[in-house]
Amino acid sequence: MMDFIVSVNDFINGIVWGVPIMVLILATGLFFTFRLGFFQFTHFGFMFKDTVVKAFKKKDEHKPGKGELTSFQAAMTSVSAIVGSGNIAGVATAIVVGGPGALFWMIIAAIVGMASKFAEITLGIKYRKFNDDGSVRGGAMYYLADGLKQKWLGILFSILVIPFAFVISGIVDTNTIATTLFDEFRIPTIATGIVLAVVTGIIVFGGAKRVGYVCAVIAPFMGGAYLLAGLVIIFINITKVPGAIGTIIQAAFNPAAATGGVIGSILVTMKMGIARGMYSNEAGLGTAAMVHSPAKVDSPAEQGVWGPIEVFLDTIVVCTITALAIVMSGLWTSGLDGATLTVNAFRTMLPGDIGYWVAIGSVVLFGFSCLISYYDYATQAAEYLFGEKSKLFVKIFWVVTIVIGSQTTLGFVWDLADTFNGLMIIPNLIGLLILSNEVVREKKTYFEANGIK
């Protein structure tokens, strides 16, 4: 039976991650890049100041308005969801399966994805709904149903979101943490699963505000530590960087030459790069509209500008650091895979045990941050389909899934995650393309209000 399920998933995966879908992803990003005036290049400085700099100056901390979270807290919840196993285990898997060239296609997809993510967050804010108690409902299903006037697409998207969230975070993130701690310290995976379930339950049952507060603390800390360690690796091994970059570029277009024939197909390299990149930054997936929806902002584009910054930090910075450490270490051909490969690469490239402990800590914190933020995807989708009362059942099942995830093997689960990713992309990108005029208007209004034309 399991062999049949795997075969069916492989067949669907081959369709949803075939050449037409990869072209659609890149073409949508290019389309928005052009329509928004290449703003991720021309106005990156403004967007960085309007998001990260403004947030750390706490300019939005006491901002009045509708919503449950500050703009920064909503963004950190989103960052906590995207900066996770995809940056550590996902990058490692992409390089093992697709070769070092997978990073190149990750970055290409991320550059154009910066525009796509701006579009989906902007539309998510514009079409969000407010409950009587002040809580917020949002996500791609609302702009598909209300903006596109196609309720069936909103329903389809929501149906796909629920298993997507449970598979990608409840299982993948939990298993990544549990297996890493078992491999390194022989901590029983069931013990890790139970502890994660209890701590996660305490946080998610506290509601969106508690999740936002926790993510606002964890995300900057964990990201900063990992980024600092990665920059140290690059600095002390600077003579190896040009060779690693050369290998990555060569492997992007000629995998066989760069890998000695181990990876022979450029399509495999592209697929792994684009699929794992999208898994990591979620640009074009539609999920960012959910976690950004509670933000207290006056303009949809005011929150939308977080999208390009998130993709930049997640993929172009964090994923690149992970990939460079792995390629420079030479361990990508060692037979290691997933988080274990990244941990050992950091251990090899940094003196003493500094890299080892930073990588181990990042595996735990990155994965845990996903566990307390991804559940929001499932609850919002369930609320759209079944009403507000369904949120309690989702939270209970979420905690149970964490325990189950600690006991799961990941080979098939990664493929299943890619399948759900690919299926969700299709209705969301259709909605983004048809509603592109609204995105352009919102961007123009907000940027001109800030003196930028």
Side-chain angles (χ1 to χ4, degrees):
M1 181 63 181
M2 188 60 191
D3 289 341
F4 175 74
I5 295 173
V6 171
S7 298
V8 171
N9 184 71
D10 287 344
F11 175 75
I12 298 173
N13 197 289
I15 296 174
V16 299
W17 283 109
V19 173
I21 299 301
M22 288 192 286
V23 170
L24 176 62
I25 292 168
L26 295 176
T28 301
L30 284 170
F31 174 77
F32 275 104
T33 295
F34 177 78
R35 291 220 61 193
L36 296 173
F38 299 87
F39 77 135
Q40 67 265 58
F41 304 105
T42 58
H43 298 309
F44 183 84
F46 162 73
M47 290 189 290
F48 191 84
K49 287 169 60 178
D50 198 49
T51 53
V52 177
V53 174
K54 184 170 73 173
F56 280 101
K57 287 183 178 180
K58 299 184 177 181
K59 288 187 176 181
D60 67 346
E61 196 169 65
H62 302 291
K63 183 175 181 177
K66 285 186 174 183
E68 298 177 88
L69 304 176
T70 66
S71 176
F72 177 67
Q73 288 170 342
M76 290 304 99
T77 303
S78 179
V79 168
S80 295
I82 63 174
V83 179
S85 296
N87 300 80
I88 297 177
V91 172
T93 302
I95 291 174
V96 169
V97 177
L103 175 66
F104 177 87
W105 296 109
M106 271 189 192
I107 292 175
I108 294 299
I111 289 172
V112 297
M114 292 167 76
S116 302
K117 197 158 191 181
F118 170 85
E120 58 196 358
I121 294 174
T122 298
L123 290 173
I125 294 291
K126 182 172 183 177
Y127 287 99
R128 63 182 174 173
K129 309 292 183 183
F130 293 90
N131 296 322
D132 293 338
D133 62 359
S135 60
V136 183
R137 294 173 285 132
M141 51 280 210
Y142 291 97
Y143 57 73
L144 290 172
D146 299 337
L148 207 59
K149 308 299 183 186
Q150 298 294 327
K151 188 173 178 64
W152 69 275
L153 278 179
I155 293 172
L156 174 62
F157 182 84
S158 298
I159 291 172
L160 292 170
V161 165
I162 296 175
F164 160 83
F166 278 99
V167 168
I168 283 191
S169 189
I171 295 179
V172 172
D173 287 311
T174 300
N175 194 270
T176 299
I177 296 171
T179 54
T180 300
L181 293 181
F182 177 79
D183 290 342
E184 301 299 327
F185 308 113
R186 287 297 180 262
I187 297 174
T189 55
I190 188 65
T192 300
I194 292 172
V195 171
L196 287 174
V198 171
V199 177
T200 302
I202 291 172
I203 296 173
V204 301
F205 274 91
K209 288 186 177 181
R210 184 177 296 177
V211 171
Y213 292 145
V214 173
C215 289
V217 174
I218 292 180
F221 172 76
M222 69 177 185
Y226 194 80
L227 176 60
L228 179 61
L231 291 175
V232 172
I233 287 176
I234 291 171
F235 179 75
I236 65 177
N237 297 280
I238 193 68
T239 57
K240 296 182 179 180
V241 172
I245 294 175
T247 298
I248 289 167
I249 294 174
Q250 182 186 23
F253 299 97
N254 192 353
T259 64
V262 176
I263 310 296
S265 170
I266 189 173
L267 289 179
V268 172
T269 301
M270 288 181 67
K271 173 187 172 180
M272 293 307 300
I274 295 173
R276 290 291 183 262
M278 178 160 280
Y279 169 81
S280 176
N281 61 51
E282 299 182 19
L285 206 57
T287 49
M290 299 181 192
V291 288
H292 280 275
S293 61
K296 294 179 181 179
V297 288
D298 300 319
S299 162
E302 180 183 356
Q303 193 66 17
V305 293
W306 273 104
I309 301 302
E310 287 176 9
V311 175
F312 174 80
L313 294 175
D314 172 85
T315 305
I316 298 177
V317 176
V318 179
C319 287
T320 297
I321 283 173
T322 300
L324 283 175
I326 291 171
V327 174
M328 288 191 296
S329 72
L331 294 176
W332 65 277
T333 58
S334 66
L336 297 174
D337 197 358
T340 302
L341 172 56
T342 303
V343 168
N344 280 277
F346 268 63
R347 171 187 264 168
T348 300
M349 301 308 292
L350 278 176
D353 290 327
I354 296 174
Y356 172 75
W357 288 111
V358 168
I360 289 290
S362 297
V363 169
V364 175
L365 286 179
F366 281 22
F368 176 68
S369 70
C370 285
L371 289 177
I372 62 175
S373 51
Y374 254 77
Y375 99 98
D376 189 54
Y377 296 168
T379 55
Q380 295 232 39
E383 183 178 6
Y384 183 83
L385 292 170
F386 309 113
E388 192 171 359
K389 292 182 179 179
S390 65
K391 295 170 73 173
L392 176 61
F393 295 98
V394 172
K395 290 179 181 180
I396 293 172
F397 191 47
W398 186 260
V399 173
V400 173
T401 301
I402 291 173
V403 179
I404 296 172
S406 68
Q407 305 302 299
T408 308
T409 56
L410 279 188
F412 170 64
V413 175
W414 275 109
D415 291 338
L416 193 62
D418 283 342
T419 299
F420 283 119
N421 260 356
L423 290 172
M424 288 169 60
I425 289 166
I426 298 170
N428 183 59
L429 292 186
I430 291 171
L432 293 183
L433 289 169
I434 295 176
L435 296 172
S436 61
N437 286 339
E438 296 186 30
V439 176
V440 173
R441 280 196 298 270
E442 293 291 347
K443 181 258 182 181
K444 181 179 179 182
T445 300
Y446 182 68
F447 275 57
E448 287 183 351
N450 283 274
I452 298 174
K453 295 184 179 180

